[in-house]
Amino acid sequence: MKKFFFVLIIFSNLCFAQEDANKEDERNLRESKNYTWDGNKLLSEDKFVDAEVDYRRAIAKSEQNAAAPYNLGNAYYNKETFSEAFGRFKQAGEFATSKEDKHRAYHNMGNVFMKRKEYEKAVEAYKEALRNNPKDDETRYNLALAKEMLKKQQEENEQNQDNQDQQQDKDDQKDQEQNKDQGDNQEENQDQDQENKGDEGDEGDQNDQQKDENKEGDGEDKQEQNKKPEDGNQQEQPQQQQPRPNQLSKQQVQNLLEAMQNEEKKVQEKIDAQKVQGVKVKNEKDW
């Protein structure tokens, strides 16, 4: 009997505790809705910052109030802060307990994806919205539009990929041609370098040969100069000896000899003339 009474007391306490928790949840939900109402009022007065504060308070007060994150998501969406808006719509879908609330949350998530041109995700969001409310024509229209945009996006991506592939092929071909031209130019330069080296070698050989000939010529000249008179290999044009002081040169001697010969000739002519004049012709016989 005592045991039964003890269990009854525990059960009663649990019921009271659950009742107190329910009362607390109801009080928090009520306060959350009040904050949401204040936020809606401030937002209508174009007081976004103050409205944002009240919406955040409403969200913090109760997770049963899906309207608070949903309305805050709409405020962010109108401000084109799409990342924040998506987070709040997702939160609203998690808080929602009714299909209608879930439908609205996923529908607006699809709208965010459409703004961000994430059409594949938009299609999935609209499908989830229609699962919670298949009769919504706006969601059905948005789903059809998202599918059409996704198809067009995929075609554009394929076209862009084809263009990129073609451009890459052109670039690769251009690189190959440039590499080939560079290789040909290198070969030509190498051939030219070899030819230049060959020419330099020939010029070097010619220069060496010329140097050798010059050396041989210089040696022969030196040998000729160093030869003595008794060798008998005198040059064809003998060097003229310079006259010593008080000594007549060969030319002077020659001139004196010629002058003397002329004088002798004149004297001889006089002698001969005298001989002719002095000889008389005998007219008589020399008996």
Side-chain angles (χ1 to χ4, degrees), residues 112-281:
V112 171
F113 287 131
M114 290 290 286
K115 287 290 185 179
R116 294 161 63 173
K117 296 183 179 181
E118 298 177 0
Y119 301 120
E120 187 173 359
K121 293 181 180 180
V123 169
E124 296 302 323
Y126 289 135
K127 284 182 179 180
E128 187 63 28
L130 287 174
R131 291 187 184 100
N132 290 277
N133 185 7
K135 296 181 181 180
D136 190 276
D137 293 336
E138 184 180 354
T139 303
R140 211 167 19 247
Y141 172 81
N142 287 2
L143 175 60
L145 180 61
K147 287 182 178 179
E148 186 65 25
M149 297 300 294
L150 176 61
K151 181 179 178 181
K152 183 177 180 180
Q153 186 183 60
Q154 290 173 345
E155 291 176 352
E156 290 178 353
N157 291 338
E158 291 177 358
Q159 183 64 36
N160 291 333
Q161 186 63 39
D162 292 340
N163 293 335
Q164 290 178 0
D165 293 340
Q166 292 177 1
Q167 185 63 38
Q168 186 64 38
D169 292 340
K170 291 180 180 179
D171 293 339
D172 293 340
Q173 185 177 1
K174 185 177 180 180
D175 292 338
Q176 292 177 358
E177 292 177 354
Q178 290 179 351
N179 293 332
K180 183 179 179 181
D181 294 338
Q182 291 177 357
D184 295 339
N185 292 333
Q186 290 178 355
E187 292 180 357
E188 292 178 359
N189 292 333
Q190 290 176 356
D191 294 339
Q192 186 64 34
D193 291 340
Q194 292 178 356
E195 292 179 0
N196 293 335
K197 288 180 180 179
D199 295 338
E200 290 177 358
D202 295 338
E203 292 179 356
D205 294 338
Q206 293 177 358
N207 292 332
D208 293 339
Q209 185 178 359
Q210 185 66 30
K211 289 179 180 179
D212 293 338
E213 292 178 356
N214 292 335
K215 287 181 179 180
E216 292 177 357
D218 293 340
E220 291 177 356
D221 292 340
K222 289 181 180 179
Q223 290 177 358
E224 291 294 336
Q225 292 177 3
N226 293 331
K227 283 183 180 180
K228 295 181 179 180
E230 57 266 19
D231 292 338
N233 294 325
Q234 296 181 355
Q235 295 179 354
E236 295 180 358
Q237 296 294 332
Q239 296 181 354
Q240 295 181 356
Q241 296 181 354
Q242 296 294 330
R244 296 179 182 179
N246 300 325
Q247 183 178 1
L248 297 177
S249 64
K250 185 177 180 179
Q251 186 65 36
Q252 291 175 341
V253 173
Q254 184 68 27
N255 293 334
L256 289 175
L257 290 175
E258 291 180 354
M260 292 174 65
Q261 289 178 356
N262 291 331
E263 290 295 331
E264 290 179 356
K265 185 177 181 181
K266 291 179 180 180
V267 172
Q268 187 64 37
E269 289 178 351
K270 289 181 180 180
I271 295 172
D272 293 339
Q274 290 177 357
K275 287 183 179 179
V276 172
Q277 292 177 0
V279 176
K280 294 181 178 180
V281 177

Side-chain angles (χ1 to χ4, degrees), residues 24-80:
E24 182 70 18
D25 289 342
E26 289 177 0
R27 185 170 61 252
N28 290 336
L29 179 59
R30 194 163 49 248
E31 291 180 2
S32 177
K33 288 182 178 180
N34 290 334
Y35 280 127
T36 303
W37 187 88
D38 291 339
N40 293 340
K41 184 175 182 295
L42 291 170
L43 192 64
S44 64
E45 295 173 355
D46 200 19
K47 297 179 180 179
F48 174 81
V49 176
D50 295 335
E52 182 183 18
V53 172
D54 282 339
Y55 285 136
R56 289 180 179 274
R57 288 175 178 173
I59 294 169
K61 253 325 180 180
S62 176
E63 293 183 356
Q64 296 178 12
N65 181 15
Y70 179 82
N71 289 355
L72 181 56
N74 285 335
Y76 283 134
Y77 186 89
N78 292 331
K79 289 288 185 179
E80 297 184 353

